[in-house]
């Protein structure tokens, strides 16, 4: 991942992009690299709006040129964004990007992703949506265990939702469509459930979420708006991060403890629950 703080430098010249690729990717020929993510949720940081937001696409263009010059043209470029990039997400058909980034940042980004046939990477955390609105969102619905009574019907599209993750993904798809890019494929750059440190954050719920996620993506990929369309999914995270600052949940997303023992068992192939 290209750190947020060097995006302006990489955007400034192809030489800087080449040097970064040479140092961080090309010198590791035995590593199989599929994606290169540029920045991390940078649109959530207003402090770097002026210095970085408008530089993300120029940086990606320079990196693409650098990758091709090192015979790494197969590597797909993207940038992971948080759901906070949307100003509206409910119902899913009303999904829309924030006014301050829609035309100036998102439209050029979507054009680049469409042109290069890459993915729109999104960090999707049903846990945070649920913990912030437990009155309207049942826990079972957030954990892929919703019953028919909990299903949500989108009045705009008529589509039926059985879980919160699908809702959030389809809101993102609707937002892209509103800017004229309905076909850019999605990738989930981060998702998961904390195993401690907050309300509803426990081992049982974390195991339930990730087990259902693996089964869901293995057997019935896609979303109501894009049925049967497979997408890359990355679970956050492999290890608990005991020294990480911030809220209690920040240290409790792992499937393993720092000493390598399991927090809970999960088959990420989705073959066994």
């Amino acid at each position: 991942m290209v750190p947020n703080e060097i995006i302006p430098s990489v955007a400034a010249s192809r030489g800087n992009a080449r040097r970064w690729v040479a140092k961080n990717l090309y010198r590791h020929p035995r590593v199989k690299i599929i994606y290169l993510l540029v920045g991390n949720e940078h649109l959530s940081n207003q402090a770097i709006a002026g210095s970085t937001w408008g530089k993300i696409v120029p940086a990606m263009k320079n990196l693409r040129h650098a990758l091709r010059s090192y015979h790494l043209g197969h590597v797909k470029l993207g940038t992971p964004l948080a759901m906070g990039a949307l100003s509206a997400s409910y119902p899913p058909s009303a999904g829309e990007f924030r006014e301050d980034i829609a035309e100036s940042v998102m439209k050029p980004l979507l054009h680049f992703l469409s042109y290069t046939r890459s993915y729109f990477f999104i960090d999707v955390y049903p846990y945070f949506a649920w913990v912030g609105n437990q009155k309207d969102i049942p826990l079972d619905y957030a954990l892929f265990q919703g019953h028919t009574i909990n299903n949500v019907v989108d009045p705009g599209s008529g589509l039926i939702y059985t879980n919160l993750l699908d809702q959030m993904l389809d809101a993102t798809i609707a937002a892209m469509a509103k800017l004229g890019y309905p076909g850019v494929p999605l990738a989930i750059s981060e998702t998961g459930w904390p195993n401690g440190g907050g309300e509803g954050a426990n081992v049982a719920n974390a195991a339930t979420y990730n087990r259902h996620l693996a089964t869901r993506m293995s057997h019935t990929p896609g979303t109501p708006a894009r049925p049967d369309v497979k997408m890359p999914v990355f679970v956050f995270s492999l290890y608990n991060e005991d020294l990480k600052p911030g809220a209690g949940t920040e240290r409790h997303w792992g499937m393993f403890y720092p000493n390598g023992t399991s927090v809970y068992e999960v088959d990420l192939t989705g073959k066994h629950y």
Side-chain angles (χ1 to χ4, degrees), residues 5-266:
E5 57 268 24
I6 71 167
I7 289 174
S9 172
V10 172
S13 77
R14 287 184 173 179
N16 291 341
R18 278 181 57 85
R19 281 187 285 274
W20 192 92
V21 169
K23 178 181 178 181
N24 294 279
L25 304 184
Y26 186 68
R27 66 186 296 183
H28 304 289
R30 298 179 64 183
V31 178
K32 183 178 181 180
I33 301 169
I34 303 174
Y35 311 112
L36 174 58
L37 301 185
V38 184
N40 183 37
E41 297 188 353
H42 59 284
L43 298 182
S44 301
N45 186 355
Q46 290 286 341
I48 62 172
S51 65
T52 305
W53 289 7
K55 305 293 177 58
I56 186 66
V57 172
M60 293 170 79
K61 288 180 177 179
N62 284 345
L63 286 165
R64 183 170 184 258
H65 184 272
L67 288 167
R68 296 175 76 174
S69 71
Y70 281 108
H71 307 289
L72 294 169
H74 64 280
V75 176
K76 295 294 185 183
L77 285 154
T79 183
L81 301 179
M83 286 296 296
L86 277 67
S87 60
S89 60
Y90 184 82
S93 60
E96 192 169 22
F97 290 114
R98 297 188 336 240
E99 187 176 352
D100 63 322
I101 60 173
E103 293 292 332
S104 60
V105 181
M106 299 310 304
K107 206 163 189 177
L109 173 61
L110 290 169
H111 177 78
F112 176 84
L113 298 177
S114 177
Y115 178 77
T116 59
R117 298 182 180 180
S118 190
Y119 295 88
F120 185 94
F121 286 88
I122 187 78
D123 295 349
V124 192
Y125 287 103
Y127 171 76
F128 291 123
W130 167 78
V131 82
N133 188 13
Q134 297 177 50
K135 177 178 176 292
D136 297 321
I137 302 175
L139 178 60
D140 285 350
Y141 186 72
L143 292 172
F144 297 97
Q145 292 183 309
H147 305 289
T148 304
I149 193 173
N150 294 329
N151 287 355
V152 172
V153 180
D154 187 321
S157 65
L159 296 173
I160 299 173
Y161 291 87
T162 63
N163 65 82
L164 186 54
L165 181 72
D166 280 351
Q167 254 189 243
M168 299 168 78
L169 293 173
D170 276 357
T172 306
I173 291 170
M176 293 193 293
K178 285 182 173 65
L179 290 181
Y181 294 91
V184 173
L186 276 184
I188 300 177
S189 40
E190 290 183 17
T191 192
W193 195 279
N195 58 62
E199 189 171 3
N202 55 60
V203 171
N205 286 345
T208 296
Y209 180 85
N210 282 328
R211 288 168 183 165
H212 278 289
L213 172 73
T215 302
R216 164 81 168 69
M217 293 300 173
S218 174
H219 296 288
T220 54
T223 69
R226 289 182 179 175
D228 301 319
V229 177
K230 293 183 179 180
M231 70 186 86
V233 179
F234 297 88
V235 175
F236 186 87
S237 64
L238 188 59
Y239 293 100
N240 279 349
E241 299 174 273
D242 289 358
L243 303 180
K244 190 174 183 179
T249 55
E250 288 296 316
R251 294 175 284 281
H252 297 281
W253 291 86
M255 292 178 285
F256 294 90
Y257 294 107
N259 65 9
T261 60
S262 296
V263 178
Y264 54 87
E265 298 294 333
V266 58

